[in-house]
Amino acid sequence: MNRVDNMTAGLDKVRTLQEVEIPSMEGKVSDEEWKLRVDLAAAYRLVAHYGWDDLIFTHMSVRIPGPEHHFLLNPYNLMFEEVTASSLVKVDLQGNPVEPSPFITNPAGFTIHSAVHMAREDANAVIHLHTPHGQAVAAHSEGLLPLTQTAMLIRGDLAFHDYEGVATDHDERERIVADLGTKNAMLLRNHGTLSVGSTVGEAFIRIYFLERACEAQIYALSAGEAVNNPPQGTPEVAAEQGAMGLKAAAQFLAWPALLRKAYRLDPSFAS
């Protein structure tokens, strides 16, 4: 199948949410997998809360521990505020559901996420977004500029991948992986943003910093040409601080607080 045909694969099998019964997966999967499902569903709800969703068209994933490299991905036809731990689809590296599911998955989501999960053992979680600010910076010839502390904290860990069309061609996976290298965040040129992490929380904090940095850059550049550049050497210092601090902040501080927020907003994500 070519890149265009792949976009419509499985659409003949789509059923509306009203026609679907979603049985609870709690107790039917390992405790470890259930925790990953809850964390990922929380991330979907938080992305919707912060206004970073793009209808149904972006995706987040988490790898299930084990040699199979199965991972969880969102159902293609659910809004992010509808995603629950039990509705997440477990797929293999060919994009096939591992267990019976009433849902299909996004072909482009599979291509991007499977590429990273296959190549990076440390990339247990992958988040990809299409926000206006992220797309705008991804379309800027200089990419992310060191204009704010937020940008400087993550800029040293940022990679770039040139646009090739909607990412449904599996041949693109090797180029995504080569461009990402050992970095943990990426601007998909003319497309959007991406982050990876050893946990859902870590990937979420990275995408938070990247998205906030992109938003601030658009505001700063829209104010005119009189932009204050940081003193020489400070972007490098901030990058070192970000490399050390973001992971710890995600694990011990920010992600636990965000989980509490997700429960306050709507605890149904954990069902």
Side-chain angles (χ1 to χ4, degrees):
M1 296 178 70
N2 61 33
R3 191 180 288 264
V4 175
D5 291 336
N6 279 338
M7 288 183 62
T8 59
L11 291 184
D12 58 323
K13 301 175 184 176
V14 171
R15 296 162 61 190
T16 67
L17 185 59
Q18 289 74 22
E19 297 175 321
V20 173
E21 181 180 349
I22 306 174
S24 175
M25 297 298 291
E26 188 171 11
K28 299 177 183 177
V29 297
S30 69
D31 291 345
E32 187 173 19
E33 178 177 330
W34 181 249
K35 182 182 184 306
L36 291 172
R37 284 177 172 273
V38 169
D39 277 1
L40 187 59
Y44 275 102
R45 297 298 186 94
L46 289 164
V47 162
H49 172 73
Y50 285 113
W52 299 340
D53 49 345
D54 181 19
L55 298 179
I56 60 170
F57 295 110
T58 58
H59 11 266
M60 293 173 273
S61 63
V62 66
R63 181 193 292 133
I64 302 299
E68 302 89 355
H69 281 66
H70 294 159
F71 61 96
L72 298 170
L73 200 62
N74 55 312
Y76 200 0
N77 60 329
L78 297 193
M79 300 291 283
F80 282 17
E81 69 264 21
E82 296 174 320
V83 172
T84 64
S86 295
S87 68
L88 293 164
V89 183
K90 189 192 304 186
V91 298
D92 61 22
L93 292 179
Q94 287 70 50
N96 302 311
V98 175
E99 296 150 346
S101 172
F103 299 112
I104 65 168
T105 57
N106 184 332
F110 168 76
T111 300
I112 294 170
H113 291 250
S114 63
V116 180
H117 285 306
M118 288 169 68
R120 289 273 300 269
E121 287 294 330
D122 62 321
N124 293 319
V126 182
I127 296 177
H128 168 49
L129 302 178
H130 295 162
T131 68
H133 299 109
Q135 291 185 82
V137 172
H140 193 281
S141 61
E142 298 296 322
L144 187 64
L145 301 171
L147 298 179
T148 62
Q149 174 175 275
T150 311
M152 288 182 273
L153 286 170
I154 198 168
R155 189 167 175 264
D157 202 19
L158 188 64
F160 299 87
H161 174 67
D162 286 335
Y163 188 66
E164 300 186 20
V166 177
T168 56
D169 185 349
H170 292 178
D171 289 344
E172 188 177 352
R173 293 192 292 195
E174 61 185 59
R175 295 183 289 277
I176 293 172
V177 167
D179 289 337
L180 181 62
T182 60
K183 300 294 180 70
N184 293 303
M186 177 180 272
L187 284 178
L188 299 162
R189 289 292 196 180
N190 311 97
H191 182 176
T193 55
L194 181 140
S195 73
V196 306
S198 60
T199 65
V200 172
E202 187 180 321
F204 191 92
I205 297 307
R206 285 203 177 98
I207 205 74
Y208 177 89
F209 271 73
L210 180 55
E211 287 292 338
R212 294 284 282 191
C214 289
E215 183 178 6
Q217 177 169 317
I218 298 305
Y219 285 147
L221 295 181
S222 67
E225 298 181 359
V227 176
N228 182 69
N229 290 304
Q232 186 175 0
T234 52
E236 291 76 15
V237 172
E240 291 180 10
Q241 293 171 318
M244 294 178 59
L246 288 182
K247 190 178 183 75
Q251 183 175 355
F252 300 111
L253 303 172
W255 183 245
L258 284 162
L259 268 179
R260 296 194 300 271
K261 184 179 187 70
Y263 277 106
R264 289 195 300 273
L265 290 169
D266 180 0
S268 69
F269 76 89
S271 63

